[in-house]
Amino acid sequence: MTMLRSYVQGSWHTAPDEGRPLYDAVTGAEVARLSSAGVDFAAALEHGRRVGGPTLRELTFHQRAALLKALGQHLREHREQLYAVSAQTGATLFDSKFDIDGGIGVLLAYASKGRRELPNDTVHVEGAVEPLSKAGTFVGQHICTPLRGVAVQINAFNFPVWGPLEKLAPAFLAGVPSLIKPASPTAFLTAKLVELIVESGLLPEGTLQFVAGGVGDLFDHLGEQDTVAFTGSASTGAKLRTHPVIVNRAVRFTAEADSLNLSILGPDATPGTPEFDLYVKQLVQEMTVKAGQKCTAIRRAFVPEPHLDAVVEAVSARLARTTVGNPANSEVRMGALAGLEQREEVRRSLKALADAGRIVLGDPEKVDVVDADPDRGAFISPILLVADPDRAEPHEVEAFGPVSTVMSYRDTAHVVELAARGHGSLAGSVVTADPAFAREVVLGVAPWHGRLLVLNERNGKESTGHGSPLPALVHGGPGRAGGGEEMGGIRGVLHHMQRTAVQADPDTLTVVTGRWVQGAQRHETPVHPFRKHLEELRIGDTIVAGPRRVTQSDVEHFAEFTGDTFYAHMDAEAAAANPLFGERVAHGYLVVSLAAGLFVDPDPGPVLANFGVDNLRFLTPVKFGDELTVTLTCKQLTPRDTSDYGEVRWDADVTRQDGESVARYDVLTLVAKKEA
């Protein structure tokens, strides 16, 4: 039988022992063996730190993003191979796509975010410059740089593709190499994923390592620059979190644990309404997709007391039509659990839940199976329970399978109180067309949830549903859910970086950050900056233009031309009564327009387009007769590796005759490269 190989220190490693068997969840046949015997964990970590890390840190965020995109495209081309292996985990084709296509989607999403939201540089500048002195010669800025360690990623069995890719993408984009350790029952699918990645040759050596088997003494060799991202049971997460090395070296540890996620039906969603139907459909889907083996699946279904029987009847009717069996059969809608051990774990949990209520649909010990042997495969029927919401068990026991418990609530305060009894969840949903009810519930349960979906007829067709984590939003939750966060867009990247406050003079800070800082030197050049190609521009290049006198006729013409006849510009008596002005003033957008007229070079040249204005602030009123001068300074250069142009951010400071700033903002332009 095939022994799954680890990929460490740049080569494949096969354990010398017999390992433990892994089984096909559908047939019960042995598909592979698993062991990490012989892996030198200290050497693997050091390989990541000394080989993978330096190589990644030499690349800019945009270059790393390009590699993630290429990897996502490569995996998409080979996903049929992953689908084939995924079927052995008990997954239907829909389940497999949820896992595999979802994971590839995370790679592509982070590739896009890296190009759009991060600089084409190796340092991320966070937030605004903080003035630290009266004269402006001492300033501060937060920067984020990659940690010099390895991102150790311990994944759960239920998403053997999405899980690793969800963790790999932000770590790689941050510039930190990964060491992937899959859960045993479905490790053979993660092994196939890693095999495809390694064979692609896309990722630099040392940036991805894979351990098939136990973690051995891995944790003993972690350092303060390493991170650990864990997905799995709350008990295992607690054990790992308290490892002496994690505690003593303050190793960053984030956990996503099992949780008792909820879905709440609003009082307005009576039987026959679109929201009632959405609630029922979503609950059934969450119970049956991946055979309910999702960390976000709905375990507690709260419904208003008057609608309890109607919900149970509607859900039971849909579940009764769910065919269970071999995923290869096109009639099957729900496959097997990950293994026989998992089925026994679900049955044990169901005994505790049944003591607190009653099973209204399904039999934990018996299931009709299509095209498979129910004794050899890890099959179980969908189980729907009804329980007393005041019993502790439904809020404490999770059956990690196609199981959900329906409970009634009296009013909004009651359901908010019931939600808190779960002690923290990854995801929750509120199905209602009543915004006021939605607000009260969302604000009431938010402290116990990492993500909340408000579902109604308006967004029902486009919603990704209760159980789908999205790369742009945080995935994680407080309390029982582990207290960690993954993804969340750039937030997930910053988890692998060190935020450092840098205090310096403006010139030094400009060099460190690659962004011009107010108070740093400017360079007025004989060539207008708009006549320079991207490669010719330098941070600090400046043009000073003006003055331009603002007249009453300018203001009145602008008002007539644009239709902006706000009283502060056109009504002398009303403007005089305004405590901020005391007299008629110029439009703020007139000031910006006049400034553009002063600094723009009109002839065709390297500047291709103005694509935005950021951080615009009008600082003091401009009155009739004031003279405006604009100082435009090259603030940041962002080349685009795949384009014939790049982005240039300019600092615009519009001042009046006494030197006081009347407007400050950033101008964003696209500038051609000379070689293009």
Side-chain angles (χ1 to χ4, degrees):
M1 185 55 62
T2 302
M3 175 71 75
L4 296 185
R5 299 177 298 168
S6 297
Y7 184 76
V8 290
Q9 296 177 260
S11 62
W12 293 100
H13 167 81
T14 302
D17 62 354
E18 293 184 357
R20 59 171 292 187
L22 303 180
Y23 299 102
D24 186 311
V26 177
T27 66
E30 183 176 326
V31 296
R33 286 185 170 264
L34 181 75
S35 173
S36 61
V39 172
D40 187 334
F41 288 101
L45 288 172
E46 198 61 19
H47 183 71
R49 296 177 191 132
R50 293 189 177 275
V51 178
T55 303
L56 267 185
R57 293 193 297 272
E58 288 179 359
L59 304 176
T60 67
F61 290 109
H62 287 200
Q63 290 170 327
R64 297 172 205 151
L67 289 175
L68 286 179
K69 181 179 180 180
L71 179 60
Q73 292 171 334
H74 173 78
L75 293 176
R76 180 173 284 173
E77 293 173 358
H78 294 80
R79 57 187 167 177
E80 294 294 336
Q81 297 180 45
L82 295 172
Y83 293 160
V85 179
S86 179
Q88 296 178 302
T89 71
T92 65
L93 181 58
F94 181 86
D95 296 337
S96 297
K97 290 182 176 181
F98 195 94
D99 179 27
I100 295 163
D101 291 32
I104 293 171
V106 173
L107 289 180
L108 298 176
Y110 267 94
S112 177
K113 280 192 165 290
R115 294 192 306 273
R116 290 186 289 106
E117 299 180 31
L118 293 171
N120 196 7
D121 200 347
T122 58
V123 59
H124 174 61
V125 178
E126 185 180 63
V129 174
E130 297 289 344
L132 303 175
S133 66
K134 187 175 182 179
T137 61
F138 186 47
V139 292
Q141 174 78 68
H142 289 96
I143 65 170
C144 298
T145 53
L147 293 174
R148 302 300 178 97
V150 173
V152 175
Q153 298 152 5
I154 301 175
N155 295 288
F157 69 83
N158 53 333
F159 284 97
V161 174
W162 187 327
L165 296 182
E166 173 188 282
K167 293 177 172 65
L168 169 68
F172 189 90
L173 190 55
V176 178
S178 295
L179 188 152
I180 295 172
K181 190 276 176 194
S184 297
T186 55
F188 52 87
L189 177 52
T190 309
K192 183 61 179 178
L193 169 71
V194 173
E195 179 184 312
L196 289 173
I197 294 174
V198 173
E199 288 178 351
S200 76
L202 290 168
L203 302 191
E205 174 53 43
T207 60
L208 173 67
Q209 297 183 87
F210 169 72
V211 174
V215 296
D217 63 351
L218 171 65
F219 274 52
D220 294 338
H221 305 290
L222 294 173
E224 63 281 351
Q225 291 287 303
D226 299 315
T227 64
V228 176
F230 167 80
T231 301
S233 71
S235 58
T236 303
K239 180 180 179 181
L240 295 177
R241 190 195 301 272
T242 56
H243 189 283
V245 172
I246 297 289
V247 175
N248 295 333
R249 296 184 180 176
V251 176
R252 295 188 189 184
F253 184 96
T254 184
E256 179 217 310
D258 47 21
S259 62
L260 292 158
N261 310 290
L262 59 77
S263 185
I264 299 170
L265 181 67
D268 61 296
T270 58
T273 62
E275 283 70 30
F276 182 91
D277 294 340
L278 282 170
Y279 183 86
V280 170
K281 180 181 179 181
Q282 175 178 259
L283 179 55
V284 171
Q285 180 170 313
E286 288 298 305
M287 291 178 65
T288 55
V289 171
K290 297 285 291 184
Q293 298 171 114
K294 295 198 300 179
C295 51
T296 54
I298 298 169
R299 305 301 178 193
R300 299 182 295 161
F302 294 112
V303 302
E305 286 181 346
H307 306 331
L308 177 64
D309 291 341
V311 168
V312 170
E313 182 180 349
V315 173
S316 298
R318 291 182 72 103
L319 286 174
R321 298 194 297 269
T322 302
T323 51
V324 180
N326 187 342
N329 190 306
S330 60
E331 297 179 1
V332 168
R333 293 294 174 265
M334 192 179 89
L337 297 175
L340 295 177
E341 292 182 9
Q342 180 60 25
R343 185 174 67 180
E344 292 310 306
E345 176 62 31
V346 171
R347 286 173 172 171
R348 284 192 292 270
S349 298
L350 274 168
K351 290 180 180 179
L353 290 172
D355 289 341
R358 57 191 173 89
I359 295 176
V360 294
L361 182 90
D363 185 342
E365 303 297 331
K366 182 180 179 181
V367 58
D368 292 328
V369 174
V370 174
D371 208 11
D373 185 338
D375 295 322
R376 294 181 60 84
F379 299 103
I380 192 170
S381 70
I383 306 290
L384 186 69
L385 301 99
V386 174
D388 179 351
D390 291 324
R391 290 289 297 265
E393 292 89 342
H395 309 288
E396 295 177 356
V397 177
E398 179 182 23
F400 201 75
V403 180
S404 189
T405 303
V406 182
M407 293 174 278
S408 64
Y409 69 90
R410 295 185 299 275
D411 51 33
T412 307
H414 187 212
V415 77
V416 168
E417 187 271 330
L418 291 173
R421 294 188 189 182
H423 302 291
S425 299
L426 295 170
S429 56
V430 186
V431 186
T432 179
D434 182 354
F437 176 77
R439 172 183 166 84
E440 192 172 356
V441 171
V442 166
L443 297 185
V445 307
W448 284 273
H449 287 80
R451 180 167 55 84
L452 290 168
L453 163 68
V454 179
L455 185 64
N456 53 38
E457 182 183 20
R458 185 173 182 181
N459 65 11
K461 290 184 178 180
E462 291 192 313
S463 169
T464 53
H466 168 101
S468 299
L470 298 172
L473 302 178
V474 294
H475 180 48
R480 174 174 175 151
E485 285 187 357
E486 293 181 5
M487 299 194 298
I490 300 304
R491 295 175 186 84
V493 177
L494 297 183
H495 177 75
H496 300 280
M497 307 185 80
Q498 177 60 44
R499 181 180 292 105
T500 303
V502 179
Q503 300 162 274
D505 64 275
D507 287 308
T508 300
L509 195 58
T510 293
V511 174
V512 170
T513 64
R515 293 188 180 187
W516 183 84
V517 175
Q518 180 71 24
Q521 292 184 20
R522 292 185 169 100
H523 314 290
E524 291 190 59
T525 61
V527 178
H528 192 295
F530 280 23
R531 307 308 305 169
K532 293 185 176 184
H533 290 86
L534 190 69
E535 303 93 327
E536 299 168 324
L537 280 168
R538 297 292 179 268
I539 300 295
D541 281 356
T542 300
I543 180 174
V544 179
R548 166 68 154 82
R549 183 182 296 275
V550 179
T551 67
Q552 180 175 331
S553 61
D554 290 333
V555 174
E556 293 175 348
H557 173 71
F558 189 82
E560 180 182 1
F561 182 71
T562 63
D564 182 356
T565 56
F566 186 60
Y567 76 86
H569 313 306
M570 301 299 292
D571 187 329
E573 183 177 351
N578 186 315
L580 297 178
F581 303 135
E583 59 183 286
R584 291 171 65 186
V585 297
H587 305 70
Y589 296 112
L590 171 60
V591 171
V592 173
S593 298
L594 293 175
L598 291 173
F599 67 68
V600 165
D601 185 284
D603 295 328
V607 176
L608 304 176
N610 176 339
F611 72 98
V613 171
D614 281 352
N615 309 314
L616 173 60
R617 292 294 183 273
F618 300 119
L619 304 173
T620 192
V622 173
K623 301 176 180 179
F624 302 160
D626 281 346
E627 294 186 342
L628 303 181
T629 298
V630 60
T631 302
L632 189 75
T633 304
C634 181
K635 185 174 185 177
Q636 183 184 7
L637 299 169
T638 304
R640 292 184 177 181
D641 293 335
T642 58
S643 302
D644 294 333
Y645 56 86
E647 301 171 14
V648 181
R649 181 179 292 267
W650 307 83
D651 178 87
D653 184 11
V654 185
T655 56
R656 64 188 183 192
Q657 62 276 3
D658 60 0
E660 185 172 359
S661 293
V662 299
R664 294 284 314 260
Y665 52 97
D666 289 354
V667 177
L668 310 177
T669 62
L670 299 178
V671 178
K673 296 177 181 178
K674 190 173 185 178
E675 62 188 29

